[in-house]
Amino acid sequence: MGVNDLSTRWTRAGRALKKRDQIYAKKLADMAKKHSSEAFYALDDPLEAAVFSVLIELLRERDSERDSPEDSQRDSPEDQKANFSLLQEI
């Protein structure tokens, strides 16, 4: 069984989930396929290759969310602490 077979199984298993979770199961299955060819050469275990691919995609999403313009308008952790300190003084 390869990564594509595993991804297909994850998609089928996702259909048994609650409606609100089905979209996440499909997304995980798609993420697993995204790097399947590159990861498969380096990893012998298809499950390991699928999980590796999913983790890469999750990290990419996290980084793209950090780089989005919305995030640049948010306060940094230091600013949040300073704001909290100001509120405590009031």
Side-chain angles (χ1 to χ4, degrees):
M1 173 171 58
V3 175
N4 288 325
D5 295 330
L6 188 66
S7 176
T8 301
R9 288 181 55 197
W10 286 4
T11 300
R12 270 195 318 252
R15 293 184 196 132
L17 297 174
K18 293 179 182 175
K19 202 67 158 164
R20 67 174 188 250
D21 293 334
Q22 288 180 4
I23 190 166
Y24 299 115
K26 174 77 172 115
K27 191 170 182 176
L28 281 173
D30 291 343
M31 285 179 173
K33 277 195 246 185
K34 212 161 211 176
H35 300 278
S36 61
S37 59
E38 298 99 341
F40 196 68
Y41 291 117
L43 304 168
D44 294 331
D45 181 7
L47 178 58
E48 185 180 9
V51 171
F52 186 75
S53 295
V54 168
L55 291 172
I56 288 172
E57 285 304 306
L58 290 173
L59 290 171
R60 279 186 175 183
E61 283 184 6
R62 184 196 66 182
D63 287 349
S64 70
E65 287 172 3
R66 280 186 185 168
D67 296 339
S68 71
E70 295 169 2
D71 274 354
S72 64
Q73 294 177 3
R74 292 184 186 160
D75 290 338
S76 69
E78 293 80 18
D79 291 338
Q80 289 175 358
K81 287 179 187 176
N83 291 339
F84 183 71
S85 296
L86 287 171
L87 286 174
Q88 284 182 323
E89 292 174 9
I90 293 177

